[in-house]
Amino acid sequence: MSIETTSSRPASAAPAVELVVLDMAGTTVVDDGIVEQAFVRTADRVDLGPSLTREEALKHVRDTMGQSKIDVFRHLAGGDEQVAQRAAEQFEVAYGELVDELGVDPIEGAGDLIDALRACGVAVVLTTGFAPATRDRLLDALGWQVDAALSPVDAGRGRPAPDLVLTALLRTGASSVASVVVVGDTASDVLSGRAAGAGLVVGVTTGAHTREQLLVAGADVVLDSVRELAGLPQLAGLLTTATATASPVLIS
């Protein structure tokens, strides 16, 4: 397990974990470039205007992975709201097409981790920049049971604002932001967790952004995969007890 950290806070000083907020695409769900492919299909179907070249637009999509898709398309459309709305709708259509064509795969160990967290009394909320219809389509395909699944429309603002994390706290009744762990593969995920005041913000390198980008954004720790979350001091004791008879993939 490869871990890098920027935090000097002792784990023993942290309160018990009550809520884990997990991103979807790139963190718990394999992306394999599907978001970029969906963007390319969208750009082929909707004229986003002359403000950016295709490569410039694609770079912006990569840089803003994890953010609300309508916000991304507002930028790409140069502020033209009607174009942005059409593009966002087409993006969801294109992403759904790719899910049908390529299928949906979880990051290895993600489903077991979710089950183990909930079995030991930790709430799990999935968050995403996708619209609810796409989010629910992914969840249905994966068959996961979680305490809540949130899109920007459910919270107010998308990442990097703290709204998704704070809405997850309110939905689950967690007692404080210090008891929340936020996990994601993008700088926006990390910035959202930091803005919310989460007790632990974890980056994973299975998605859009690099270890260096996640650390620069403020991640307390960066892991190779969400499955390694079980090896962190804040969770290891809880999960080891809850999964004593489960697959060893959760024991790091």
Side-chain angles (χ1 to χ4, degrees):
M1 177 172 69
S2 175
I3 297 177
E4 289 188 31
T5 177
T6 57
S7 176
S8 60
R9 293 178 294 177
S12 59
V17 174
E18 299 176 22
L19 166 64
V20 175
V21 179
L22 299 167
D23 171 57
M24 294 187 72
T27 301
T28 54
V29 181
V30 175
D31 176 33
D32 281 347
I34 293 180
V35 170
E36 289 189 24
Q37 292 179 59
F39 162 76
V40 170
R41 290 193 183 188
T42 301
D44 288 339
R45 298 169 182 176
V46 179
D47 183 1
L48 297 173
S51 58
L52 296 174
T53 67
R54 178 67 67 91
E55 283 307 309
E56 288 172 337
L58 190 55
K59 181 181 184 301
H60 182 73
V61 169
R62 294 187 187 112
D63 290 343
T64 56
M65 286 289 190
Q67 295 185 20
S68 170
K69 296 301 176 281
I70 184 59
D71 290 342
V72 173
F73 282 112
R74 283 181 179 127
H75 176 84
L76 297 178
D80 188 319
E81 184 66 19
Q82 289 186 337
V83 172
Q85 292 289 345
R86 286 201 302 272
E89 291 171 4
Q90 280 301 313
F91 176 86
E92 301 294 339
V93 171
Y95 192 92
E97 292 169 352
L98 287 161
V99 167
D100 289 340
E101 294 167 17
L102 303 175
V104 178
D105 294 310
I107 296 291
E108 185 179 359
D112 289 337
L113 175 70
I114 290 169
D115 289 343
L117 286 168
R118 299 186 76 227
C120 64
V122 176
V124 176
V125 173
L126 296 176
T127 59
T128 181
F130 294 139
T134 301
R135 176 201 71 206
D136 293 344
R137 187 171 189 168
L138 291 173
L139 271 178
D140 289 344
L142 293 163
W144 290 343
Q145 298 296 314
V146 293
D147 294 275
L150 303 173
S151 296
V153 70
D154 302 310
R157 296 171 296 177
R159 308 173 187 123
D163 302 31
L164 284 165
V165 176
L166 296 177
T167 300
L169 181 148
L170 292 171
R171 289 279 186 96
T172 60
S175 62
S176 71
V177 289
S179 71
V180 179
V181 177
V182 174
V183 187
D185 67 295
T186 70
S188 292
D189 295 317
V190 172
L191 291 167
S192 179
R194 287 268 73 92
L200 182 68
V201 180
V202 180
V204 293
T205 59
T206 48
H209 291 163
T210 65
R211 188 176 303 273
E212 180 181 2
Q213 287 174 301
L214 295 167
L215 289 170
V216 168
D220 292 311
V221 60
V222 177
L223 306 174
D224 289 334
S225 170
V226 70
R227 67 188 295 196
E228 295 180 353
L229 198 68
L232 296 180
Q234 294 88 340
L235 289 165
L238 283 172
L239 291 174
T240 300
T241 300
T243 60
T245 60
S247 169
V249 71
L250 291 175
I251 309 301
S252 300

